[in-house]
Amino acid sequence: MRGFLPLLVIVTSASAIWPIPAKYEHGETVLWIARDVKINYCKSNSTSLSGWNKTLASSGPLVQDAIQRAHHTIFSERFVPWKFHPRNSDFEPPANGSKNYVGSIDVIQRSADSGSVVRPRIGEVSEAYSLTVAEDGKATIAADTSVGVLRALETFTQLWYQHSESSSGVYTNLVPVNIEDAPKFPYRGLNLDVARNYYEPEDVMRTIDALAYNKFNHLHIHATDSQSWPLDIPALPELSAKGAYHKGLSWTPDVYRDIQAYGAARAVEVVTEIDLPGHTASIGNAFPDLLTPIDDLPTWDDFSKQALKLNSSAVYDFLETLFDDLLPRLSPYSAYFHTGGDELFPEVYLKEEGVNSNDSAVIQGLLQKFVDRNHDQVRALGLTPIVWEETLVQFNLTLGEDVIVQVWKSSETVLETINRGHKALVGSTDFWYLDCGKGQWLNSDNGAAFEKSYPFNDYCTPIKSWRLVYAYDPVANIPPEKQSLVLGGEVHSWSEQTDPVNVDSTIWPRASAAGEVLWSGRQDASGRNRSQIEAYPRLTEWRERMVLRGISAASISHPYCTQSDSSACELL
């Protein structure tokens, strides 16, 4: 039996798993896997069932579907890792001759799932698992929950390679494998803006697939904004009829249910945001009297700042109807609802009748009443509120202890949030805003505006490379005794210049770098920051796998670097 090799020894050869497990040891023995490999799924208090193609009627649907997806991935991915070995090297096992095969795969779920597995509260459902592949051909996956099994199966698919003589089959050269794994942070998410540009449901489902591959567990849908309202609300049909960009460019309740269910089947909880009271100009297409007044021909600045009125019973009636329609459709699939609260500009209330003020004390009192009303209804409908940081930090509102605060500006704001007793989700503009660096998306005529805007950088330039994304530590400067209040975080994809054509390459594989920070931690087991040198070949290989799985992830390398020793492309 060959000894285990620590991952750090392997730099240019293919041994990648992304995100890196908490404990990962492997050898160099070759095993092959056949399409008819026997699998035994044993769930607590259920009968063991065998066969990839058997209908697992008494087993958990999450696991039976995941097993089928894993099987499809292993035998359809067809990943030949030539880019990760020296040029023209003979890196593959012999295609002919004697072959040792995986004889069986035992998938063991030690406990029955609770009723909350589809819509868990953060950290409520264990995602831990173990995975072993022995030289005698026995593979074992074990986890307490179906979600842990799903995470293990994603890891298992990354162990296998297609031989370049395709008829020779699929193999791993990493046996024996011993993995013990669990996430560092319980909340690992992506914020996807679907209001600035329209996304077909298939685009969102493909993104959910990619999130699951990368062991994210939340998709935050920024569903509406000033530019459009692409979500059908049957009780308020004019919202999307007049607020969507075009007829048909909105999601019906059935479509949105399918998106939520698709995520739940992959242990990716869909969290919906209706941003309030700012970012709401699209409501004005149907209900203009609910918004703060603006000129008939507003500037971009006026339009983008327009907000719901704060001193209006009609607004409260509208929100009551909106929430009563939407939230009961969300609650079967999510425990949370995001009520927004970012980028509210007090000056817009100078023109609201009955307010006519931008005084912070006046606005704070009205906004407190507004948020209290919304959060009371959210709780009554069985969901927990999430808000953007401004509600707490800028407007100094009193929030319920259950409210989670999403921080996007700085580490200092994270510390302020948790010092005030709230749990935080992080994702700094300086590190985890994936839309940055594409340049200004507003136009400037020749003259003063041109000169002012030149060289037309966007508000958060430069682009956040995967290396910068990877360098972000969600708990930097947070005292150890308070780090548990940082639940995790999100990377953000705002869509002013992102649409279905470039969404994959905008998000991936840079979001994968954040995914490893959130799953594995910024530091390794010895307390050292994880190295780009070690991460680079793994992330590059992982990008190749994502592309083969239908995710159009951007390139981050070229073969000269991946086929060479790590020092060949290292800056000193």
Side-chain angles (χ1 to χ4, degrees), residues 373-559:
R373 194 226 71 82
N374 290 345
H375 288 185
D376 285 347
Q377 190 177 0
V378 170
R379 294 185 187 97
L381 292 169
L383 297 164
T384 297
I386 303 175
V387 297
W388 291 108
E389 65 177 65
E390 286 92 329
T391 56
L392 181 72
V393 175
Q394 178 183 348
F395 291 101
N396 198 31
L397 300 190
T398 300
L399 301 173
E401 293 182 359
D402 59 333
V403 177
I404 297 169
V405 178
Q406 184 160 22
V407 177
W408 60 279
K409 290 187 177 181
S410 69
S411 296
E412 290 73 20
T413 312
V414 177
L415 185 58
E416 181 177 352
T417 296
I418 64 175
N419 280 341
R420 294 177 65 171
H422 285 281
K423 296 176 181 178
L425 300 175
V426 303
S428 169
T429 313
D430 294 333
F431 292 88
W432 281 9
Y433 267 43
L434 302 180
D435 56 304
C436 297
K438 294 181 178 180
Q440 178 60 265
W441 52 272
L442 294 170
N443 300 311
S444 302
D445 202 356
N446 292 332
F450 183 99
E451 297 300 328
K452 181 180 179 180
S453 299
Y454 187 87
F456 315 112
N457 291 325
D458 56 41
Y459 74 101
C460 56
T461 198
I463 190 171
K464 314 310 177 191
S465 71
W466 80 261
R467 292 174 176 85
L468 185 62
V469 172
Y470 199 63
Y472 181 60
D473 186 351
V475 292
N477 304 315
I478 304 299
E481 67 275 12
K482 293 187 176 182
Q483 290 182 4
S484 63
L485 290 173
V486 178
L487 300 176
E490 293 182 348
V491 285
H492 301 268
S493 182
W494 301 108
S495 290
E496 286 90 347
Q497 298 183 89
T498 304
D499 67 8
V501 175
N502 68 339
V503 65
D504 287 7
S505 59
T506 294
I507 296 173
W508 309 107
R510 291 183 296 154
S512 302
E516 178 154 294
V517 170
L518 290 168
W519 179 274
S520 311
R522 178 69 182 101
Q523 289 79 36
D524 61 22
S526 67
R528 294 176 297 185
N529 283 338
R530 299 187 187 277
S531 167
Q532 295 175 17
I533 302 301
E534 184 278 324
Y536 168 76
R538 290 190 298 109
L539 183 58
T540 308
E541 179 179 321
W542 179 227
R543 181 261 176 180
E544 297 292 315
R545 288 188 185 271
M546 283 197 289
V547 169
L548 291 169
R549 297 180 187 191
I551 309 301
S552 298
S555 175
I556 59 169
S557 182
H558 58 286

Side-chain angles (χ1 to χ4, degrees), residues 9 59 90 114 178 249 274 302 374 420 422 430 434 471 493:
V9 172
S59 64
D90 185 15
S114 68
N178 183 16
L249 298 188
I274 304 294
D302 290 338
N374 290 345
R420 294 177 65 171
H422 285 281
D430 294 333
L434 302 180
S493 182

Side-chain angles (χ1 to χ4, degrees), residues 97-236:
S98 177
K99 295 179 180 178
N100 295 321
Y101 281 85
V102 174
S104 64
I105 305 169
D106 288 345
V107 178
I108 302 167
Q109 184 181 329
R110 290 184 287 254
S111 303
D113 285 328
S114 68
S116 63
V117 70
V118 174
R119 59 179 304 274
R121 297 195 176 276
I122 297 168
E124 184 178 25
V125 173
S126 171
E127 299 177 82
Y129 68 90
S130 64
L131 190 165
T132 60
V133 184
E135 289 188 321
D136 64 4
K138 183 176 179 59
T140 304
I141 287 170
D144 288 337
T145 69
S146 61
V147 177
V149 173
L150 264 62
R151 305 302 181 223
L153 287 167
E154 293 292 352
T155 298
F156 188 71
T157 65
Q158 294 185 45
L159 298 175
W160 304 97
Y161 306 98
Q162 173 70 51
H163 199 283
S164 58
E165 296 183 21
S166 58
S167 61
S168 297
V170 176
Y171 70 93
T172 180
N173 56 0
L174 303 172
V175 176
V177 175
N178 183 16
I179 293 173
E180 298 283 342
D181 202 10
K184 169 75 172 179
F185 293 97
Y187 188 109
R188 306 175 306 281
L190 164 72
N191 171 27
L192 180 64
D193 167 17
V194 300
R196 271 56 174 257
N197 264 301
Y198 178 74
Y199 292 81
E200 294 289 348
E202 293 78 10
D203 301 318
V204 180
M205 291 176 180
R206 186 179 67 255
T207 300
I208 289 171
D209 284 333
L211 289 168
Y213 299 153
N214 286 272
K215 297 188 176 71
F216 284 85
N217 61 358
H218 288 84
L219 173 61
H220 167 182
I221 296 287
H222 183 81
T224 61
D225 212 289
S226 296
Q227 290 89 334
S228 81
W229 187 286
L231 198 63
D232 288 355
I233 306 295
L236 298 163

